[in-house]
Amino acid sequence: MKGIVFIIFGSLLALMLHAAAVSCSRQETGSGALQSAELAYANSHYDAAQSLCDKLVNDQEFFSSLNTDELCRLALLFVRLAENYGDENANTAFASKTLDAAIERNADSTALFLARAPMEDRARLSLISAISESRRNPVSVDSLEYDPSDSIIIY
């Protein structure tokens, strides 16, 4: 009798360990990780949201699996995290990188996402969009003309 209980207990333990190993394996998609990050953020679990967002942007397989809309949502999530949690500079840089990727994939869909975003989010994203635009199209200092006669200080 003791042997049967031991076998059943051992089998259950092995099954539980296998289930834990499978659940921790890399079966999550980029889209699923983004949904998990958005849910974590909505529930004020900023640490979990930050971790998932970092995973999405640093893992090329996950990052490349995101469509334009998902990249825009990820950029918005990075902007929100920059305001509420974590390293503001790093999150802003990741938001800009993510928005750049969305524009590169489909500029029209990205513009549509920005236009349809709620006003508060649109304000956040417009700043990131300006940063992204300046990174994509830098202005040469040589092309700027300086006219000393327009200056308040006359030399």
Side-chain angles (χ1 to χ4, degrees), residues 23-101:
S23 68
C24 292
S25 69
R26 187 185 169 118
Q27 293 184 7
E28 187 173 30
T29 63
S31 180
L34 177 60
Q35 288 175 347
S36 296
E38 288 172 328
L39 183 62
Y41 182 85
N43 291 317
S44 300
H45 298 295
Y46 301 129
D47 190 37
Q50 182 73 62
S51 176
L52 286 165
C53 287
D54 290 345
K55 176 182 173 183
L56 278 166
V57 81
N58 290 323
D59 187 317
Q60 191 57 39
E61 183 180 335
F62 278 163
F63 193 72
S64 62
S65 73
L66 297 174
N67 63 34
T68 305
D69 183 65
E70 291 166 338
L71 287 168
C72 291
R73 288 172 31 214
L74 181 59
L76 179 59
L77 195 50
F78 270 121
V79 171
R80 290 175 178 168
L81 285 167
E83 292 178 356
N84 296 308
Y85 178 84
D87 184 357
E88 183 177 0
N89 292 333
N91 282 331
T92 301
F94 282 145
S96 179
K97 173 186 175 180
T98 305
L99 196 60
D100 278 345

